[in-house]
């Protein structure tokens, strides 16, 4: 005997509420994604000799190298400082990303 509803969902009103909630969550997620694109973090190494600026979505926007970090006899050190600064920035960006997007539980709406 059919009593209406949507296979145990209790009718159209509950389904509409679920759809509204899903749409609201999608809008909030899009807003959080936009904030991540605008939020900048700075990674640094060598006591600030090398600085990397990136968005919280891990897009590098600037690299700053203090001339004191440049030793043409030891370019490996400079390369290591750049890598360390990038990794520092990525770690900070990841932290912000997880704060903003963690509430969505990995949903890819």
């Amino acid at each position: 005997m059919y009593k209406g509803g949507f296979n145990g969902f209790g009718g159209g009103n509950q389904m509409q509420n679920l759809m509204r909630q899903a749409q609201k969550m999608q809008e909030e997620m899009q807003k959080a994604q936009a904030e991540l694109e605008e939020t900048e973090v700075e990674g640094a190494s060598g006591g600030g000799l090398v600085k990397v600026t990136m968005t919280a979505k891990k897009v590098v926007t600037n690299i700053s190298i203090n001339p004191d970090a440049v030793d043409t006899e030891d370019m490996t050190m400079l390369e290591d400082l750049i890598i360390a600064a990038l990794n520092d920035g990525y770690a900070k960006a990841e932290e912000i990303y997880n704060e903003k997007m963690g509430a969505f539980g990995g949903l890819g709406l």
Side-chain angles (χ1 to χ4, degrees):
M1 191 184 218
Y2 182 73
K3 293 185 178 183
F6 190 76
N7 291 336
F9 282 106
N13 283 342
Q14 282 188 334
M15 188 57 144
Q16 287 176 343
N17 287 339
L18 286 173
M19 293 300 290
R20 271 190 234 117
Q21 288 175 341
Q23 185 173 0
K24 182 179 178 189
M25 181 179 274
Q26 184 176 16
E27 290 169 0
E28 289 172 0
M29 196 163 91
Q30 289 172 340
K31 180 181 173 190
Q33 289 279 355
E35 288 175 8
L36 290 171
E37 290 175 7
E38 295 173 9
T39 302
E40 287 193 337
V41 297
E42 182 178 89
S45 66
L49 290 175
V50 175
K51 296 178 183 176
V52 175
T53 305
M54 66 180 65
T55 68
K57 289 194 84 171
K58 301 179 184 173
V59 176
V60 176
T61 57
N62 189 47
I63 296 177
S64 173
I65 301 172
N66 184 309
D68 293 339
V70 181
D71 179 357
T72 56
E73 300 296 318
D74 190 6
M75 291 302 289
T76 302
M77 182 186 75
L78 177 57
E79 292 165 350
D80 289 344
L81 288 172
I82 293 170
I83 291 169
L86 283 166
N87 288 332
D88 184 46
Y90 286 140
K92 291 175 181 175
E94 184 74 16
E95 186 177 324
I96 291 171
Y97 182 89
N98 289 336
E99 286 174 11
K100 296 252 185 224
M101 300 306 290
F104 301 106
L107 296 175
L109 298 175

